[in-house]
Amino acid sequence: MSDMTSNADAPRSPGRPRSVRADEAIVEAVLDLLAEGSTIDALSIEGIAARAGVGKATIYRRWSGKEALMLDALRRLKGVLPQPAGHSVREDLVLLVGAVGHNVDPRAAKIMPCLVPEVNRSPDHFRVYQNIIEPRRQLMREVLRWGVRSGELRADLDIEVVMALLAGPMLVQRMLRWNPDLDDDSLPGRIVDNVLGGIQAR
């Protein structure tokens, strides 16, 4: 993957201002096509443009290619990053764990399960996924490191493993509904409390 940065973030040269409505239509077209069963590989700029009612040139003026467009579309699916308040390690972790596997767009229920095999098969798609998830992991790292610095968490904490312990159960539950008896609203707090029992400073 040559360019993982959306052209939406790049400085624009003088000229006709870009249309927010066109941007929205293009991203919505990508998500609609994925929700209807299209694979990432099957998506084409031509097909996206036709669905959005724009020309191919309109897409290429905004994104360097399909992968950059996919990155922005999947970021839209995930929604904005949660913002820890910084008052309590537990509260911040509950917020971040609650965001794992949570998508603001109802189309995600159809899109995300279908993307998992594609992410596993394709190094390019895996990098797209990592570019979406890494900022969320970094937020959790920062909370855990803050807990270590404040003395609330153990100094010998294996932060990467602890993140997996926190995120894994929530992801499995939301993706697979592994145990239908678990309450989705209370589960983040229950996961955090159980993990904290092993990582808090003594």
Side-chain angles (χ1 to χ4, degrees):
M1 184 175 306
S2 60
D3 183 5
M4 294 301 302
T5 303
S6 165
N7 283 359
D9 298 326
R12 289 182 55 79
S13 59
R16 187 174 61 182
R18 62 185 292 165
S19 165
V20 174
R21 183 175 298 177
D23 289 3
E24 292 283 337
I26 293 164
V27 170
E28 286 295 305
V30 172
L31 295 177
D32 282 342
L33 289 167
L34 289 173
E36 291 166 8
S38 177
T39 64
I40 296 176
D41 287 337
L43 282 179
S44 67
I45 295 297
E46 292 83 355
I48 296 166
R51 183 61 172 262
V54 302
K56 287 168 54 179
T58 301
I59 295 178
Y60 283 118
R61 279 197 298 268
R62 289 156 167 78
W63 291 275
S64 60
K66 186 174 77 173
E67 289 166 357
L69 173 54
M70 280 297 308
L71 183 57
D72 277 358
L74 294 177
R75 280 176 175 156
R76 169 81 62 83
L77 200 66
K78 292 294 294 178
V80 299
L81 286 170
Q83 296 301 316
H87 302 312
S88 157
V89 170
R90 181 190 181 277
E91 288 177 8
D92 288 350
L93 289 177
V94 170
L95 174 70
L96 296 177
V97 170
V100 172
H102 175 72
N103 302 284
V104 297
D105 192 309
R107 287 170 293 190
K110 295 180 179 178
I111 294 173
M112 297 309 292
C114 298
L115 290 184
V116 172
E118 296 194 48
V119 166
N120 288 331
R121 282 196 299 264
S122 165
D124 287 341
H125 299 165
F126 180 75
R127 284 193 291 272
V128 170
Y129 170 76
Q130 291 300 321
N131 271 270
I132 295 169
I133 297 301
E134 178 56 26
R136 297 169 184 270
R137 280 198 299 259
Q138 186 58 28
L139 281 176
M140 191 175 289
R141 283 190 194 97
E142 291 169 2
V143 171
L144 292 169
R145 287 168 180 162
W146 170 54
V148 171
R149 289 194 302 269
S150 69
E152 187 174 343
L153 302 180
R154 288 167 39 182
D156 63 346
L157 207 62
D158 188 331
I159 287 176
E160 300 302 313
V161 170
V162 170
M163 288 197 301
L165 291 172
L166 289 165
M170 199 76 227
L171 190 59
V172 168
Q173 183 64 17
R174 283 194 167 144
M175 291 289 290
L176 302 177
R177 301 305 301 169
W178 183 79
N179 184 345
D181 293 330
L182 290 173
D183 175 63
D184 196 72
D185 292 333
S186 64
L187 186 57
R190 293 170 67 183
I191 292 171
V192 170
D193 288 339
N194 276 276
V195 174
L196 280 178
I199 67 174
Q200 284 176 317
R202 304 300 181 187

